[in-house]
Each structure stands twice: as structure tokens, then as C-alpha cells.
Amino acid sequence: MPLFLFFYMAEILPYSCCKLGFYSIKDKTRRGNGIGSATLRPVSCVATGGEKVIVIKNGKDSLEMCRVVNGMWQTSDGPAEDLYGLFINRVRRERPPQLLENVRGLTKWVPPPVKMSRSFVEKSIDVSRKRMDVACLDMLQFHWWDYANSGYLDALKHLTDLKDEGKIKTVALTNFDTERLRIILENEIPVVSNQVQHSIIDMRPQQRMAELCQQKGVKLITYGTVMGGLLSEKFLDTNLSIPFAGPPLNTPSLQKYKRMVDAWGGWSQFQVLLQQLSKIGRKHGVSIATVAVKYILDQPAVAGSMIGVRLGLSDHIRDANAIFSLDLDEEDVESIREISSRGKDLMKVIGDCGDEYRRA
């Protein structure tokens, strides 16, 4: 059985507002922070094989990846790509050569709104390659803030050229909506996936995006699937309307996804969902989070899901392994679908995938 290690890195330029999952700030002034002498902890990972692994592809481009990907929030203000470079070099020194072939690093590029020239794009990608200490990036996930600026097509065309030249293995997207994904594909840009927010609460990707993805062979990689930890036993039977009565919403992700709960149907309705997920979890001997992730992994076009980990605090190895042995039956699926549908239509409230990051 092969062993796959996945590190999800993302970069965002300092001018931008950080709203997404796991980021490192692309700021050269942060390079001299002593990270080169950092002590690396042993890496916890999930052995994967069979149904745990999927190949995402578009044309001749493909990448084998685990269906559960580690997203590491604790590096949200740090040099994630540098950390990966340290890690991959440790693998090269201390692990069998065959393990190196089964390591995947997914990184993100969020450029500023400037002219997307070939030289600008290539220099940015070369920075990532240098930081991660790899000749070829496994996956470059591209994000663009302003659709009114069609420079995203220029950038993607240059990224495709760099892929053909061997600097990138696969080109992907982050938080693009259905309309822009269609335009990108019509321009014959071979993206393999689109990373989008997707949970039992937020089923927007299944309304328009999934159908296009199935038609064109593009896959979805989801985040926010356990809503920063809200979809867990920790928040079952809690009342957040009473000060200090429930668990604190003490992380940016918990605060963000609490707002999503409010937009969907409120805390009381959310408790109904948690109670049903808990019932299903007890039936199968798994956690609420495991049920929540499995439900989304079973949705059309979904290739994988990111689960946040905080080294030394929460790594979720047991829950991650349990996902792949869980089979939700028809009764389970229908009961989740029924409660999910009671909430407001977030497509009407928020808009399509990624619109929450582009509205004024």
C-alpha cells in the first residue's frame, strides 16, 4: 500500500484581505525569520490506497492524490512553502527514495491586479519552486479577485505554458464561479480542479458547478467541509446565545463558519443537523466530522476534501482513516439531505462559489 503525504500551501500577497483557508504571506521581508533552524516534528499522515486515492486529470495532465488532504491553519501567517522545502529535504535525507514519489505539495498563487506578463508569472512560479525546493510544482492553484479584469486568462495561459515546459505538473483553480470556469475551459486551459467551499450547510457547488465539472472532467477539492470544527461533538447541544455557555469561537475559521450557519438557518436549526449527524455517527461508530466529510466526498464531481490540522493540537488521523471505511446508507443520506434543504438557499443569499470573497 503506498503512502501519500499531502501538504496544502497557499500564498497571498500582503495587499489582499486573507479570507480563505491556509495561507503563507508572500513577503520577501519574512524570509529571514530563522525557520531554517527550526526543529521539525515527526509528520503524522494517513496511509492510503484503493478508494483513498484518486487521479484528477484533464487531457494529458494528471495527478494522483489522496481524497483527504491536510490543510494546515497554523501556518496561515507564515512561510508555508519554506516549511515544505524543509520537509521535502528531510524526506530526501531520511526516508526511502520511493517515498519521495508519493509526496504531494499543493500550493496557491494569488497575484496582484497587474498586467499578467509572461515574465511576471514565471518569476512568481520560480519563487514557489525555490521555496519548496522542487523542480516542478505538483499543483498550482490559481485565485483571482476581480472578474472585471480579464487578466486571469492571460495568467492561466502563461501557467499552461510553464506546465508544458515542466515547471508545473497540473494547473488548478481556487474559488472560481461556474461562469468563469466555463470561460476558462472554452479557452482550452486544461485545469484539473477547482477548490471551493462545500459542506452539508453549503451545498452551492452542487447547484451549477458540479454539472459543468462532470461534463468537462474537472474535479472539486473542497474546504470548509467540517466548518472549522463546528460540525463536531464539541458544539452538539450547545447554546451560543448565552455568554460563556458554549465553547468559544476562538479561531477565524470558527467565526467565519458561524456566520455561514447564521446565513443558512441559525444555531437552533444547526443543532437539529448536529443531532442527526451524531445519531448516524453512533450507528456507524464514527464521529460527526467523519459523517460530514464522507457525505461531501460522495457528492458528484468531488475528488477530495481538505481537513484542517494544527500540529501538536489536532491532527484527526483516526477520523480521517474512518472516512474510508464508512458507507452511508440510503436512510442516512436522505436524512442529511432533508435537514440540509430546510435551510436557506445560499446560492440566492451569497451567490455562486467564491462570490463571498468578491462582494463589497
Side-chain angles (χ1 to χ4, degrees):
M1 178 182 292
L3 178 67
F4 287 82
L5 309 180
F6 291 87
F7 283 76
Y8 177 79
M9 279 75 60
E11 296 183 290
I12 191 163
L13 290 157
Y15 84 93
S16 300
C17 178
C18 179
K19 294 183 178 179
L20 305 180
F22 165 47
Y23 292 93
S24 73
I25 298 175
K26 196 171 195 175
D27 182 350
K28 292 182 180 179
T29 62
R30 297 180 67 90
R31 296 299 300 279
N33 59 1
I35 193 166
S37 59
T39 300
L40 295 181
R41 299 176 67 254
V43 176
S44 298
C45 54
V46 178
T48 64
E51 75 282 2
K52 298 181 182 180
V53 175
I54 193 170
V55 176
I56 55 176
K57 60 183 178 180
N58 189 329
K60 66 179 186 301
D61 303 330
S62 66
L63 184 73
E64 187 178 38
M65 61 171 284
C66 182
R67 299 200 69 200
V68 173
V69 184
N70 287 348
M72 297 170 62
W73 268 95
Q74 79 274 24
T75 55
S76 60
D77 293 319
E81 291 184 328
D82 296 277
L83 285 172
Y84 182 87
L86 291 172
F87 165 77
I88 201 68
N89 272 295
R90 182 168 176 178
V91 172
R92 289 167 181 154
R93 293 193 312 269
E94 301 178 10
R95 298 293 186 268
Q98 60 268 26
L99 179 60
L100 192 61
E101 298 301 317
N102 293 328
V103 178
R104 304 288 183 267
L106 284 60
T107 194
K108 182 185 295 181
W109 182 45
V110 186
V114 299
K115 182 177 176 58
M116 292 292 107
S117 66
R118 159 72 189 225
S119 61
F120 178 81
V121 174
E122 184 170 19
K123 286 178 182 178
S124 298
I125 298 312
D126 285 344
V127 169
S128 292
R129 292 168 59 237
K130 182 177 180 180
R131 285 180 170 179
M132 296 175 72
D133 199 12
V134 294
C136 178
L137 302 175
D138 289 320
M139 179 184 286
L140 192 287
Q141 296 177 299
F142 176 73
H143 178 86
W144 189 257
W145 289 111
D146 184 11
Y147 292 145
N149 180 350
S150 62
Y152 67 90
L153 289 173
D154 296 325
L156 284 165
K157 289 174 182 177
H158 293 315
L159 290 173
T160 300
D161 290 340
L162 292 170
K163 174 188 63 65
D164 293 339
E165 294 167 18
K167 290 190 174 184
I168 303 170
K169 188 170 185 180
T170 54
V171 176
L173 305 173
T174 298
N175 284 309
F176 273 79
D177 66 7
T178 308
E179 180 181 350
R180 254 53 60 162
L181 174 59
R182 188 184 304 278
I183 292 171
I184 289 166
L185 294 172
E186 288 174 349
N187 277 266
E188 299 183 346
I189 297 169
V191 295
V192 297
S193 65
N194 187 19
Q195 180 190 303
V196 294
Q197 181 173 295
H198 196 355
S199 68
I200 296 173
I201 294 295
D202 187 358
M203 295 295 290
R204 288 177 298 159
Q206 296 302 318
Q207 293 188 243
R208 296 180 60 199
M209 178 72 66
E211 181 180 2
L212 177 62
C213 287
Q214 287 185 299
Q215 290 173 357
K216 302 298 184 180
V218 176
K219 293 296 185 180
L220 298 176
I221 298 176
T222 73
Y223 68 91
T225 308
V226 295
M227 305 187 71
L230 288 180
L231 286 169
S232 68
E233 283 77 9
K234 182 177 181 179
F235 289 91
L236 177 64
D237 297 328
T238 61
N239 185 353
L240 297 187
S241 65
I242 302 175
F244 309 110
L249 301 176
N250 56 1
T251 69
S253 58
L254 284 172
Q255 295 161 15
K256 168 189 172 180
Y257 292 116
K258 171 57 166 59
R259 292 191 294 272
M260 191 64 61
V261 168
D262 293 340
W264 170 73
W267 196 251
S268 295
Q269 183 62 29
F270 185 64
Q271 286 300 310
V272 175
L273 174 62
L274 285 181
Q275 289 162 6
Q276 182 59 33
L277 296 178
S278 177
K279 177 181 178 181
I280 295 171
R282 292 194 304 272
K283 170 182 170 181
H284 295 282
V286 298
S287 69
I288 288 174
T290 297
V291 175
V293 174
K294 179 62 173 176
Y295 183 81
I296 296 302
L297 284 178
D298 287 345
Q299 297 301 308
V302 174
S305 181
M306 292 172 54
I307 297 179
V309 297
R310 293 185 291 168
L311 295 182
L313 296 176
S314 55
D315 48 27
H316 311 299
I317 295 174
R318 182 178 299 175
D319 283 348
N321 270 319
I323 292 168
F324 301 106
S325 60
L326 173 61
D327 288 319
L328 297 175
D329 59 36
E330 185 176 343
E331 181 182 4
D332 299 329
V333 171
E334 183 54 37
S335 66
I336 295 171
R337 183 185 297 116
E338 193 276 326
I339 297 174
S340 175
S341 65
R342 294 180 194 174
K344 295 178 182 178
D345 182 352
L346 294 184
M347 183 75 83
K348 295 178 180 178
V349 175
I350 299 172
D352 202 357
C353 299
D355 282 358
E356 61 268 33
Y357 303 116
R358 296 180 176 89
R359 290 187 169 185

